[in-house]
Amino acid sequence: MESYGIISLLPIFIILILAVSTRRTLFAMCAGLTVGAAILAGKNGGFVDSWFHYAYKSMSNESMQWIVLIVAMFGMLIVLFERSNAVSDFGFWARRFVKTQKQSMVATAILGIIIFIDDYLNNLAVGTTMKGITDRLGVPRTQLAYIVNSMAAPVCILIPLSSWAAYFAKLMESQGVTVHGTGMGAYLRGLPFTFYAYIAIIICFLQIFGIIPKLGQIRKDYAHYEKTGSVFPEGTDQEQVDAEMNVAEPGEDDRPRPWNFLIPLAVMIAATLAAGTEVLVGSTAGVITAFVLYLIQRKMSFRELLEACYDGIVSMTFVMILTFLAFAVQQVNVDLGLANFVIEVTKPVMKGAFLPMVVFLVCGVYAYATGCFWDLAAIILPIVIPLANAMGVDPILASSAVFSGACFGSNTCLYGDGVIMCAQGSGIKSIDLMFASLPYAGMSAAATAVLYLITGFVM
């Protein structure tokens, strides 16, 4: 693949600068896509044809179509939960067990570990489940989202039954890295070296218990809560605040029914596992279960249920558009040869004992800048594994460094699918979640780099 050299960095640079300065992620993504389409206009028959070429590429991408279907199903489920009062009933029921800020944050982290099957399911389900409880106890939404985000991808990497583990194991096997003849055997052998995932989870718990202080966006939002009583980041649209906080208290004769929330959630998780970690099957089963359950109980009429499903899809429009733009920009990066440029620039320092650390840093920065995580592993493993073999470095260790870098990117990229879905589930903007996560993810990345340097020399 031809590389445009340093020019290939321009769309990403534009996106990050505009997103940070304007806090308008969609605008920043459109600008980045436009710049990329302009650079590649000669290749694609002119600027207009180039722009729509990448729009079409994004819409025809099977992964993008799959994500849109997932998001639509979760949108339906969330609105069904809200309009049937299932979420508020669960929150009122949970009051007897979760009574303090710290307890609510620990419960969020534990739920994130329990829902280990897939990071999409984790990011959307945990935020939706816990935000009513954490709101009541005065936990800022950015704090909630940081915890959800810090559990999602790291937990999925560390538990071999997840979609992440299955995919990465298959990649290792395709590159001839096996233990006892299987890629999963090699993946399990490499789990102790997937340092970023362990450290991110440990730092999250240390932050919850106050051993690591509140930093950056989270510190700012705690101060904002103390001043205004709002758990939302400063500048959040008042209409959104009113819509999410307008929850009716049950009457004296009403008994909260947590099962109206827990049963669809349990069916969703069980169906996902039964379908081989296929989240689309699980989320569809959850929607059908909720629909039938509320209809039988007459919580809502058939027409109201249909309207809730439609409104749920509409409520996810922002996420769908952002996902569409993210995939278009990723295709621009492919055609600009960004990955080849990064690899060529960093190859001279990918030597010997330094290889695992450099691989982690390169993968982490690339994943953060581009929003590519699974694609990143597929691109760079065929390069890293031969390098590791040639230099006498354990290819399993080098592979674990790639996976750690992908995990760091999933935790931090403002237009990565993990951050987009976590922000949506927690009811905040992607840019706010990125700023909330970066200080702690940065700590995790720094410690991970040191561990890979030490391990590279020891092994």
Side-chain angles (χ1 to χ4, degrees), residues 79-100:
V79 174
L80 284 170
F81 281 159
E82 289 173 351
R83 295 193 182 171
S84 67
N85 294 322
V87 172
S88 56
D89 275 5
F90 175 78
F92 295 132
W93 171 78
R95 286 183 180 182
R96 68 188 73 178
F97 309 108
V98 181
K99 299 178 179 179
T100 67

Side-chain angles (χ1 to χ4, degrees), residues 235-294:
T236 303
D237 294 338
Q238 190 59 42
E239 186 177 336
Q240 177 190 345
V241 175
D242 293 340
E244 293 211 35
M245 300 303 290
N246 186 23
V247 179
E249 294 276 348
E252 292 183 3
D253 297 328
D254 295 332
R255 294 183 60 188
R257 299 178 180 180
W259 303 114
N260 283 339
F261 177 80
L262 294 174
I263 289 174
L265 188 65
V267 168
M268 180 169 61
I269 294 170
T272 301
L273 278 173
T277 71
E278 177 48 75
V279 180
L280 183 56
V281 173
S283 57
T284 303
V287 169
I288 294 171
T289 302
F291 195 102
V292 172
L293 189 63
Y294 305 153

Side-chain angles (χ1 to χ4, degrees), residues 138-197:
V139 176
R141 287 289 180 93
T142 46
Q143 171 73 72
L144 167 68
Y146 160 67
I147 297 170
V148 175
N149 189 38
S150 296
M151 292 293 120
V155 166
C156 287
I157 276 187
L158 295 178
I159 297 182
L161 297 175
S162 72
S163 56
W164 279 62
Y167 176 75
F168 288 153
K170 190 181 297 183
L171 279 181
M172 294 178 79
E173 189 167 327
S174 70
Q175 295 301 315
V177 181
T178 61
V179 171
H180 303 307
T182 67
M184 182 55 74
Y187 186 81
L188 292 173
R189 177 76 60 84
L191 273 184
F193 306 111
T194 313
F195 298 129
Y196 177 83

Side-chain angles (χ1 to χ4, degrees), residues 68-401:
V68 167
L69 289 173
I70 292 286
V71 166
M73 287 296 171
F74 269 98
M76 287 190 276
L77 192 60
I78 288 169
V79 174
L80 284 170
F81 281 159
E82 289 173 351
R83 295 193 182 171
S84 67
N85 294 322
V87 172
S88 56
D89 275 5
F90 175 78
F92 295 132
W93 171 78
R95 286 183 180 182
R96 68 188 73 178
F97 309 108
V98 181
K99 299 178 179 179
T100 67
Q101 283 189 352
K102 192 171 293 184
Q103 287 176 352
S104 70
M105 291 188 284
V106 170
T108 301
I110 291 173
L111 186 59
I113 294 172
I114 292 172
I115 305 179
F116 61 83
I117 305 166
D118 185 85
D119 60 325
Y120 292 166
L121 177 62
N122 196 313
N123 276 316
L124 282 165
V126 178
T128 301
T129 301
M130 296 303 299
K131 63 186 178 183
I133 298 170
T134 55
D135 285 352
R136 177 178 59 83
L137 295 169
V139 176
R141 287 289 180 93
T142 46
Q143 171 73 72
L144 167 68
Y146 160 67
I147 297 170
V148 175
N149 189 38
S150 296
M151 292 293 120
V155 166
C156 287
I157 276 187
L158 295 178
I159 297 182
L161 297 175
S162 72
S163 56
W164 279 62
Y167 176 75
F168 288 153
K170 190 181 297 183
L171 279 181
M172 294 178 79
E173 189 167 327
S174 70
Q175 295 301 315
V177 181
T178 61
V179 171
H180 303 307
T182 67
M184 182 55 74
Y187 186 81
L188 292 173
R189 177 76 60 84
L191 273 184
F193 306 111
T194 313
F195 298 129
Y196 177 83
Y198 293 105
I199 297 171
I201 292 171
I202 291 169
I203 285 181
C204 182
F205 276 104
L206 292 177
Q207 194 261 9
I208 288 171
F209 287 107
I211 297 171
I212 293 177
K214 301 173 183 66
L215 301 169
Q217 182 74 37
I218 292 177
R219 180 179 179 180
K220 177 182 174 182
D221 288 342
Y222 267 101
H224 180 62
Y225 172 75
E226 293 296 328
K227 183 178 179 181
T228 66
S230 173
V231 295
F232 291 86
E234 190 173 356
T236 303
D237 294 338
Q238 190 59 42
E239 186 177 336
Q240 177 190 345
V241 175
D242 293 340
E244 293 211 35
M245 300 303 290
N246 186 23
V247 179
E249 294 276 348
E252 292 183 3
D253 297 328
D254 295 332
R255 294 183 60 188
R257 299 178 180 180
W259 303 114
N260 283 339
F261 177 80
L262 294 174
I263 289 174
L265 188 65
V267 168
M268 180 169 61
I269 294 170
T272 301
L273 278 173
T277 71
E278 177 48 75
V279 180
L280 183 56
V281 173
S283 57
T284 303
V287 169
I288 294 171
T289 302
F291 195 102
V292 172
L293 189 63
Y294 305 153
L295 186 63
I296 291 173
Q297 295 181 32
R298 298 183 179 178
K299 300 280 285 184
M300 302 167 70
S301 67
F302 186 76
R303 178 171 180 169
E304 288 172 335
L305 287 165
L306 291 178
E307 287 176 350
C309 290
Y310 172 78
D311 291 341
I313 296 173
V314 172
S315 73
M316 291 291 188
T317 302
F318 177 86
V319 176
M320 293 177 183
I321 294 173
L322 193 54
T323 303
F324 154 74
L325 290 171
F327 274 89
V329 169
Q330 286 177 20
Q331 187 59 48
V332 165
N333 290 333
V334 170
D335 287 357
L336 286 172
L338 177 59
N340 290 342
F341 171 69
V342 171
I343 291 166
E344 287 303 316
V345 168
T346 55
K347 254 187 180 180
V349 293
M350 288 189 181
K351 293 181 179 179
F354 292 97
L355 181 67
M357 180 189 72
V358 175
V359 165
F360 166 70
L361 292 174
V362 169
C363 291
V365 172
Y366 183 82
Y368 167 72
T370 63
C372 292
F373 316 123
W374 287 18
D375 294 348
L376 161 72
I379 291 168
I380 204 167
L381 270 184
I383 298 166
V384 166
I385 289 173
L387 275 175
N389 288 326
M391 296 174 183
V393 176
D394 187 344
I396 292 177
L397 174 62
S399 299
S400 297

